[in-house]
Amino acid sequence: MMHRFCLAEIFSDGMVLQRNEKIRIFGDAPQGDKIRVSLRDTHGNLLDENWGVADENNRFEVRLMPLEASWDDLLAVRNESSGQLLRVENISIGEVWLAGGQSNMEFFNKYEKNWDTTKKLPMNKHIHFYNVPQRAFEGHDTHNGEGRDGYGRWLDDKEEGYENFSAIGYTFARAIQEKLKVPVGIIGCNWGGTTASAWVPESVLDTPELRRYLTEYETEVEKYSEEELRELSLKAWKAVDDPKGYHDFEKFLYGRDRQVQLEELEARKDNPPEMVPMGPYNENRPCGLYETMLKTVIPYSIKGALWYQGESDAGDRAPMYDSLLKGLINSWRDAWNLDLSFLIVQLAPFKEWLDCTNDGYKIVREKQRLVAETMENVYMTAIGDLGEEYDIHPKEKVEIGNRLAGLALCHVYEKVDSRDVENPCISKVTVNSGNIVLEFENAKDLSAKDELDEILIHAKSDDIAVHTYGFEGNKILIKRPDELTEGEVISISIGVDDYGQISIKNENGLPIVPFKMEVVHE
């Protein structure tokens, strides 16, 4: 069979290449064909040129030297064996990030709380976006049909389709571009409802702690014959991929009205939606989207990843989330052969959404914090102030994007001070005869404009809820409850419940990170 000569799908007009890293150009060609790649600037001057040979898998990769930021460049990829020439125009070289996760990262610009303001912003010609087509299995055309424009090609700011791009990714791009003054590209690679196990290679899950994901999958697959699974799955995908169906579902999915949710749930009892059975055609199968989506953009050089996910790994899977997230981060770094920066969003609180509950959220949040504290080049922003009681999707994605941009500008680019972008974290608790004093890092002036958060004191006598306390700079002052006895070991927590809302913030408007800390009452 003759293999065609083509670049990987991500290489298209308007793309952004990562500056100061080897530029990796890859695609398909018949085995043995010699491929020459040249990159020229807007004046036609040669920036770099190199060549390679297609391997036994009919794949080629050609590496160009690291380059400084630029724009309006031209890429020419020539198959010297066949004489075919491919050209990609309007190329920028700057900073490239990947926006990964489930629906809170996928969450489109057009549903964000501030969309009316965002769409009126002036165009920024130096930010560009690429949404990886959502393909659940090999041969799946795409989940992004009519009305979901902008998948599988690079978009300029304000180009049709950018309304369907991640609101967090979009905001992040604008924020860091305005500070760095270089082109910025964001690759959206996400899918609502997915567990992190869908975004990793099998080697991550093939461990005693995480093998559960594989065994549960095998149990589900055994319920059907191979042919039954195929027939049921393709029939379901026909309904799921129908534009009318997913547009109606989107509005319902990202709506804010609890009554509408309840009415929709009631209606679905009599007319349940088509569901793709778990198996080789389900997007949420272990390792599935790693193969069908993420690998399509590896090894396209990037600086790092924004990661907002964890809702689908809560419940009884929550205790293993740190192992899963660490495995994901390490496997991505191995796949790219780069020390990618990871910026994580800690899960927001919610109480109830559709028929979903928040079981295990406090554990996932704690695991996210532990990963950020124990892994190099991994940072986390807390958003306990943005949750909504009856919505799993915080609507203020612009705020989240800006918080992630602050972390990047501080820790990755060293442009801002950490005290201006890090959430306040508990650093010390002291107890004396009169007061309990909670002291925080990354804060000069703590305050709470709205209703005060509940502070829980866990003592052997009982759990004591405290709603009255004061602030003094970076400290919270609590009158010592009379129930406490000297020498007693107590623990103090704020916001660690599954529905743990946070209203205490520092002078930069950043909420404290939920915590639980033990201390001896002296």
Side-chain angles (χ1 to χ4, degrees):
M1 183 178 84
M2 178 61 71
H3 290 270
R4 69 190 185 106
F5 170 52
C6 64
L7 285 163
E9 193 172 28
I10 193 171
F11 294 96
S12 63
D13 293 350
M15 69 182 183
V16 183
L17 300 170
Q18 177 62 43
R19 63 174 173 165
N20 301 327
E21 289 285 353
K22 286 184 179 178
I23 297 170
R24 304 167 79 169
I25 309 299
F26 52 96
D28 295 343
Q31 181 179 353
D33 281 10
K34 183 177 180 180
I35 312 300
R36 183 174 298 277
V37 175
S38 59
L39 185 63
R40 297 181 182 274
D41 67 16
T42 187
H43 304 294
N45 301 312
L46 184 66
L47 297 174
D48 195 27
E49 185 175 66
N50 203 355
W51 63 275
V53 177
D55 63 20
E56 65 276 11
N57 297 313
N58 304 109
R59 298 279 294 171
F60 72 86
E61 180 184 327
V62 178
R63 299 187 182 189
L64 303 179
M65 68 179 184
L67 296 169
E68 296 293 330
S70 63
W71 42 86
D72 293 332
D73 299 333
L74 170 68
L75 182 74
V77 182
R78 183 179 180 84
N79 187 326
E80 299 286 6
S81 302
S82 67
Q84 295 168 283
L85 178 65
L86 305 173
R87 291 164 60 93
V88 184
E89 301 179 346
N90 186 29
I91 296 170
S92 301
I93 300 176
E95 292 299 299
V96 184
W97 287 76
L98 186 144
Q102 55 183 111
S103 58
N104 270 308
M105 183 60 82
E106 180 186 32
F107 196 101
F108 299 149
N109 264 325
K110 62 187 177 186
Y111 294 118
E112 204 273 338
K113 183 178 180 179
N114 303 285
W115 173 236
D116 285 343
T117 300
T118 299
K119 64 186 179 183
K120 294 175 184 175
L121 292 172
M123 177 183 176
N124 184 331
K125 66 180 182 179
H126 294 308
I127 55 176
H128 308 264
F129 315 95
Y130 179 85
N131 255 331
V132 177
Q134 293 178 318
R135 296 188 179 111
F137 54 92
E138 189 174 347
H140 187 197
D141 183 22
T142 179
H143 181 51
N144 317 113
E146 181 184 344
R148 277 195 173 178
D149 310 301
Y151 284 76
R153 62 188 176 91
W154 282 91
L155 303 173
D156 291 333
D157 189 17
K158 306 300 184 184
E159 187 175 350
E160 185 176 354
Y162 95 109
E163 71 278 6
N164 298 320
F165 196 77
S166 161
I168 290 175
Y170 178 81
T171 303
F172 177 88
R174 287 196 75 103
I176 68 168
Q177 197 287 322
E178 290 168 5
K179 191 74 173 180
L180 299 176
K181 305 300 183 185
V182 301
V184 173
I186 302 289
I187 300 169
C189 190
N190 40 65
W191 197 318
T194 53
T195 159
S197 67
W199 298 101
V200 298
E202 187 172 343
S203 59
V204 171
L205 303 180
D206 194 14
T207 65
E209 186 173 8
L210 297 176
R211 194 172 291 123
R212 169 182 171 180
Y213 283 97
L214 299 176
T215 55
E216 288 179 349
Y217 171 75
E218 291 163 2
T219 299
E220 288 298 312
V221 169
E222 289 171 358
K223 294 179 180 179
Y224 304 94
S225 70
E226 188 174 322
E227 187 55 37
E228 280 178 317
L229 259 180
R230 175 177 169 79
E231 288 181 7
L232 287 170
S233 299
L234 295 184
K235 178 177 179 291
W237 274 116
K238 188 174 181 180
V240 173
D241 286 342
D242 178 73
K244 183 182 185 307
Y246 64 63
H247 285 310
D248 289 345
F249 184 64
E250 274 178 19
K251 295 173 185 175
F252 164 59
L253 187 69
Y254 296 131
R256 303 188 71 180
D257 191 303
R258 175 61 175 164
Q259 188 58 39
V260 172
Q261 291 181 20
L262 295 174
E263 290 171 1
E264 179 73 13
L265 282 174
E266 187 63 31
R268 284 168 176 252
K269 289 180 181 178
D270 299 325
N271 187 28
E274 289 279 1
M275 299 291 289
V276 179
M278 179 51 69
Y281 303 94
N282 189 299
E283 79 279 7
N284 219 1
R285 70 190 185 280
C287 316
L289 297 181
Y290 181 85
E291 295 293 330
T292 61
M293 288 181 65
L294 192 73
K295 279 180 72 172
T296 67
V297 297
I298 299 172
Y300 193 97
S301 293
I302 60 176
K303 189 70 172 182
L306 317 177
W307 184 253
Y308 191 166
Q309 190 276 337
E311 300 90 341
S312 290
D313 290 299
D316 61 354
R317 291 172 169 177
M320 63 183 81
Y321 189 73
D322 54 335
S323 296
L324 183 57
L325 184 54
K326 285 180 180 179
L328 182 144
I329 292 170
N330 287 327
S331 67
W332 287 23
R333 287 173 172 172
D334 289 345
W336 263 279
N337 195 25
L338 292 170
D339 181 25
L340 302 177
S341 300
F342 268 77
L343 308 180
I344 299 170
V345 182
Q346 192 179 42
L347 294 189
F350 88 100
K351 188 174 182 180
E352 188 178 350
W353 175 75
L354 305 183
D355 54 359
C356 299
T357 59
N358 56 18
D359 300 339
Y361 264 48
K362 62 183 177 183
I363 300 174
V364 173
R365 289 192 199 102
E366 176 64 11
K367 299 298 187 181
Q368 291 171 321
R369 184 186 66 80
L370 287 173
V371 169
E373 288 183 354
T374 57
M375 293 190 76
E376 292 291 327
N377 206 12
V378 178
Y379 308 97
M380 184 195 80
T381 190
I383 58 168
D385 58 321
L386 300 180
E388 301 195 21
E389 187 172 10
Y390 292 112
D391 201 332
I392 201 172
H393 303 107
K395 295 298 184 288
E396 296 183 63
K397 296 295 193 286
V398 167
E399 176 64 22
I400 298 171
N402 282 327
R403 290 182 188 181
L404 291 176
L407 291 181
L409 291 170
C410 171
H411 298 292
V412 181
Y413 300 110
E414 299 180 345
K415 295 291 185 181
V416 298
D417 193 284
S418 63
R419 290 172 295 184
D420 296 327
V421 299
E422 289 278 6
N423 294 88
C425 295
I426 189 72
S427 61
K428 186 179 180 182
V429 179
T430 55
V431 183
N432 54 45
S433 59
N435 290 298
I436 300 174
V437 182
L438 314 181
E439 191 169 345
F440 291 80
E441 296 176 345
N442 305 319
K444 293 179 181 177
D445 294 296
L446 291 172
S447 63
K449 292 182 179 178
D450 303 318
E451 186 177 327
L452 288 178
D453 298 329
E454 180 178 77
I455 298 178
L456 279 177
I457 300 175
H458 310 271
K460 66 180 181 182
S461 55
D462 202 358
D463 285 351
I464 305 164
V466 178
H467 295 276
T468 303
Y469 46 88
F471 300 99
E472 185 179 281
N474 68 333
K475 299 173 183 176
I476 299 175
L477 308 179
I478 307 168
K479 185 178 181 300
R480 186 189 68 79
D482 295 335
E483 300 95 312
L484 300 184
T485 58
E486 289 187 14
E488 183 177 3
V489 177
I490 64 172
S491 64
I492 299 174
S493 67
I494 302 179
V496 297
D497 291 338
D498 289 328
Y499 182 47
Q501 296 173 295
I502 299 287
S503 65
I504 301 170
K505 301 181 181 182
N506 67 6
E507 65 279 6
N508 298 312
L510 296 172
I512 64 172
V513 178
F515 72 91
K516 184 175 184 178
M517 179 176 279
E518 278 195 352
V519 65
V520 177
H521 172 218
E522 298 176 352

